[in-house]
Amino acid sequence: MGLVATDFGIQEVLDALGVKEINPGTSTGSECFSNGELIPSYSPVDGKLIGKVVSTSQEDYERVMKTAEEAFEHWRTIPAPQRGEVVRQFGEKLRELKEPLGKLVSYEMGKSLQEGLGEVQEMIDICDFAVGLSRQLHGLTMHSERPGHRMYEQYHPLGVVGIISAFNFPVAVWSWNTALAWICGDVCVWKPSEKAPLCGIACQNIAATVFKSNGLPEGISSLINGDYRVGEMMTTDKRIPLVSATGSIRMGKIVAQKVAARLGKSLLELGGNNAIIVTPDADIKMTVIGAVFGAVGTAGQRCTSTRRLIIHESIYDQVKNAVKDAYSQIRIGNPLDENNHMGPLIDKDAVDMYEKALESVVDQGGSLLVEGGTLSGEGYESGCYVKPAIAEADNSFQIVQDETFAPILYLLKYEGEVENAIAIQNGVVQGLSSAIMTNNLREAERFLSAAGSDCGIANVNIGTSGAEIGGAFGGEKETGGGRESGSDAWKIYMRRQTNTINYTTDLPLAQGIKFDL
C-alpha cells in the first residue's frame, strides 16, 4: 500500500493511526503477505488517492480463519467482566484517537467532520454500553414440573462472527457489532467496504494495540479486504455461525440466501425509505430542522436519511416554502471545513445514480421544486459534489418506492386524518425509520400503536436520522429485521442453552410418562 501526502493534514492523521505499508488479509498484529488485487482508496473530498490496500486471497482468508478459531478457544474461557475490561480499554484508546479517526472517516467517506467525529463517539458509546453489559448477560430460572429438579437457561458464545459493513458508516457499525460480540466471548472477522478500506485498517490497528497490551492472542479481531467475492467467503463458510451484513436490500437478499442455505444465522441492516409525517399540529421550526438534517446529512447517504416528507394539505404550502428556504442556506463543500453543511457523495457512480433519479422523478410525473444538479469548479474537482434536491411527487412513483442513496427529498401531500398519512408512510417495502411531527397526543400515540408505523424505529418530534446507543437499531420488512447496538441486541451474538438439573436419586420423566425397567 502506498500512501500519499494530501492537504488537510491527512498524512499526519494516517501516521497517528498507524496506517502505513500494510498487507491486509491479516489477523490482529500479524504480517501476512498477499498477491491479491490492489484496492485504491480515493477521497471524494478532492479526488486524490489516499492509498491502496491488497485484497484478501483465499489463502489469506484460510489463514485468518485458522487464527480466529484458535483465538476463540481462549477468548471464550475468559470471564465476561474481564472481556468487558478489554473493551473498556479499547474505548479509552478511541477517546485518545477520536480526532484523527474522525478526520479519516470524513476524508475517506466524505461526511462532514462533525459527523465523522460523531461516528467515533458512537464507537466510544457502544464500548461503554458493552462494558456494563458484560456483567449483565442474564439467563432465566424456571420451576420444573418434576420434584427435585431445577431448570435454567444460559447463554454461550457463538464462535466466529462475520461482519460486512457499508461505506456510509465505515467504523461505527463495525463497532456496534464487535463490541457486543467481544463481551459475549465471540471473535470477529470484518470485511469493511472496499470504498473506505483505510478506516478499517485504522480500527484494526487500534484493536491490535489493545489486545497485544493485554497479552491476548491474535484473531480476536481480524480484517479482510475486497469486494463481494471476499464477502462470499464468509457467507458460505460453515465456520461462521453468524454473519452481520449492512448494505442494500439486493445485497442483503443474497447474503440471507447463502447463509440460510447452510443453516447459519444472519443479522441484516438493509435499505430505508424513511418518512416524516407533518400534521396540522406540528411545530414547523422543529419540522424544518429535522427534515433538512435528515435529508442532507451525510449527503443523503444514511440508511435513516429522510426520503419522504408527508405533509397535511392544510399546511402543505407553509411547510414546503419553509423547507425550500432552508435549502437555499445549505453550504456545500469540503466536509473538513466545519462551515459547510454537506460534503460529497462517495464516488462518481453515486453521482450518476443521483442524476438518473432526478430524471426519473420528472419522467414519472413529478416536478422538481429545488432542482439539484452537480457542482464543478474550484473546490469541487473530485466530481462528487451535488446539490440537494426537493421533488413534489406521489408515493406510487417507482422512484419514490426505491431507496436512492442521495440528497433527494420527496414532498407528499395527505388529506384527512393521520391514519391516511400512516398508510402512505407504510406503503413502501422498507421499514427502518419513521417520525411524526405533532403536538397532538392522540396523533402521536396512534402513530406509535400496533396499527401505526410499521418501522423498527418510530420517533415523535425528532427526525428519522440518528440513533442512540441504548436502543436496539434496525428495521422490518425488506430492511431485514436485524437489531444491533442497544437493548437486548446482544442475544444474537450468543447461543441459548436450556439446562435441567436432577438432584434426586430418581429419574422421573416429563409429562408424567412412565418408563419402568
Side-chain angles (χ1 to χ4, degrees):
M1 179 180 72
L3 298 175
V4 296
T6 59
D7 297 333
F8 322 124
I10 295 302
Q11 187 59 58
E12 291 79 5
V13 165
L14 296 170
D15 290 342
L17 297 170
V19 182
K20 302 174 184 177
E21 296 287 338
I22 296 174
N23 291 280
T26 70
S27 55
T28 306
S30 64
E31 291 296 331
C32 298
F33 297 91
S34 171
N35 294 318
E37 300 173 356
L38 291 176
I39 304 172
S41 177
Y42 292 95
S43 171
V45 175
D46 55 14
K48 293 182 179 180
L49 177 69
I50 314 172
K52 299 177 182 178
V53 302
V54 183
S55 61
T56 300
S57 67
Q58 185 66 51
E59 182 182 0
D60 297 327
Y61 178 78
E62 290 301 323
R63 185 162 48 238
V64 166
M65 283 301 301
K66 183 175 185 296
T67 307
E69 287 185 303
E70 291 173 353
F72 175 62
E73 296 294 319
H74 176 71
W75 184 238
R76 67 180 177 180
T77 66
I78 296 174
Q82 292 184 28
R83 297 193 295 257
E85 166 57 20
V86 176
V87 173
R88 185 195 66 79
Q89 294 175 32
F90 179 62
E92 288 303 306
K93 187 61 68 173
L94 289 172
R95 283 183 170 88
E96 295 174 18
L97 297 171
K98 178 178 177 179
E99 184 174 350
L101 183 56
K103 201 168 187 178
L104 178 59
V105 169
S106 179
Y107 186 64
E108 187 172 36
M109 186 269 149
K111 63 175 59 177
S112 73
L113 179 58
Q114 283 301 310
E115 290 182 80
L117 294 170
E119 187 169 344
V120 181
Q121 186 61 49
E122 280 193 50
M123 301 176 75
I124 295 167
D125 292 345
I126 194 63
C127 286
D128 289 348
F129 180 85
V131 172
L133 190 63
S134 68
R135 294 181 181 271
Q136 301 180 72
L137 302 178
H138 302 310
L140 296 172
T141 60
M142 293 150 283
H143 290 280
S144 173
E145 68 183 52
R146 290 167 284 186
H149 286 60
R150 180 167 69 88
M151 293 181 65
Y152 70 96
E153 58 182 34
Q154 59 182 332
Y155 289 85
H156 293 304
L158 278 177
V160 181
V161 172
I163 303 169
I164 301 172
S165 62
F167 73 85
N168 59 330
F169 280 85
V171 296
V173 173
W174 166 73
S175 70
W176 289 3
N177 284 274
T178 203
L180 297 190
W182 283 342
I183 62 103
C184 289
D186 299 318
V187 300
C188 299
V189 175
W190 176 29
K191 191 198 89 63
S193 170
E194 61 270 32
K195 295 183 179 183
L198 300 181
C199 286
I201 291 173
C203 291
Q204 179 70 355
N205 286 346
I206 297 169
T209 300
V210 173
F211 287 119
K212 185 176 181 180
S213 67
N214 283 273
L216 292 167
E218 293 182 339
I220 298 173
S221 176
S222 299
L223 179 74
I224 56 178
N225 274 305
D227 59 16
Y228 72 93
R229 292 169 293 182
V230 176
E232 285 180 345
M233 296 178 190
M234 283 197 291
T235 58
T236 58
D237 193 338
K238 292 183 178 181
R239 296 168 294 182
I240 300 180
L242 171 66
V243 175
S244 174
T246 304
S248 67
I249 292 173
R250 180 193 63 80
M251 179 276 283
K253 289 181 176 179
I254 295 171
V255 170
Q257 290 174 29
K258 289 185 178 295
V259 175
R262 58 178 177 82
L263 297 182
K265 296 199 295 184
S266 56
L267 192 170
L268 302 175
E269 295 290 354
L270 310 176
N273 195 344
N274 317 295
I276 298 177
I277 295 172
V278 189
T279 80
D281 288 311
D283 182 313
I284 302 302
K285 181 179 180 180
M286 288 175 59
T287 297
V288 171
I289 294 172
V292 174
F293 175 75
V296 308
T298 322
Q301 297 172 115
R302 291 184 177 213
C303 54
T304 56
S305 290
T306 304
R307 310 286 176 202
R308 298 173 295 148
L309 203 57
I310 305 169
I311 311 166
H312 192 270
E313 60 177 350
S314 65
I315 57 169
Y316 182 83
D317 288 339
Q318 181 184 1
V319 174
K320 177 180 72 173
N321 292 333
V323 173
K324 182 179 178 181
D325 180 64
Y327 267 50
S328 68
Q329 302 173 51
I330 293 172
R331 295 184 295 274
I332 307 164
N334 174 9
L336 293 170
D337 181 346
E338 296 188 61
N339 291 314
N340 293 323
H341 296 111
M342 191 178 112
L345 294 177
I346 184 65
D347 55 26
K348 292 181 179 178
D349 288 340
V351 174
D352 183 59
M353 177 183 65
Y354 158 85
E355 292 175 330
K356 289 178 178 177
L358 292 179
E359 293 174 4
S360 295
V361 172
V362 177
D363 291 344
Q364 293 173 26
S367 60
L368 295 177
L369 182 65
V370 176
E371 291 190 355
T374 58
L375 293 166
S376 59
E378 185 178 355
Y380 305 123
E381 290 85 357
S382 69
C384 298
Y385 290 87
V386 302
K387 293 183 284 187
I390 301 175
E392 294 184 284
D394 188 272
N395 207 53
S396 64
F397 293 175
Q398 187 59 53
I399 190 61
V400 178
Q401 291 284 310
D402 296 335
E403 178 190 40
T404 301
F405 232 46
I408 303 175
L409 178 65
Y410 302 110
L411 302 189
L412 313 173
K413 186 184 297 185
Y414 81 95
E415 303 173 355
E417 300 302 316
V418 73
E419 285 82 0
N420 297 328
I422 293 172
I424 294 171
Q425 180 210 274
N426 293 348
V428 294
V429 299
Q430 308 88 349
L432 179 53
S433 186
S434 59
I436 187 170
M437 293 292 184
T438 182
N439 288 320
N440 184 311
L441 179 62
R442 290 178 177 175
E443 289 180 332
E445 291 295 341
R446 180 71 178 79
F447 175 74
L448 299 175
S449 73
S453 170
D454 63 3
C455 296
I457 299 169
N459 298 327
V460 176
N461 290 331
I462 61 172
T464 63
S465 188
E468 293 184 30
I469 288 301
F473 179 90
E476 299 301 321
K477 301 191 292 188
E478 292 195 7
T479 298
R483 292 298 185 275
E484 295 173 322
S485 185
S487 186
D488 64 349
W490 62 271
K491 292 181 178 179
I492 189 69
Y493 304 97
M494 304 196 83
R495 56 182 177 88
R496 186 191 307 227
Q497 183 181 81
T498 300
N499 308 111
T500 304
I501 299 172
N502 176 4
Y503 55 91
T504 74
T505 58
D506 298 319
L507 187 61
L509 301 178
Q511 293 84 47
I513 296 173
K514 300 296 183 181
F515 187 77
D516 296 326
L517 293 177

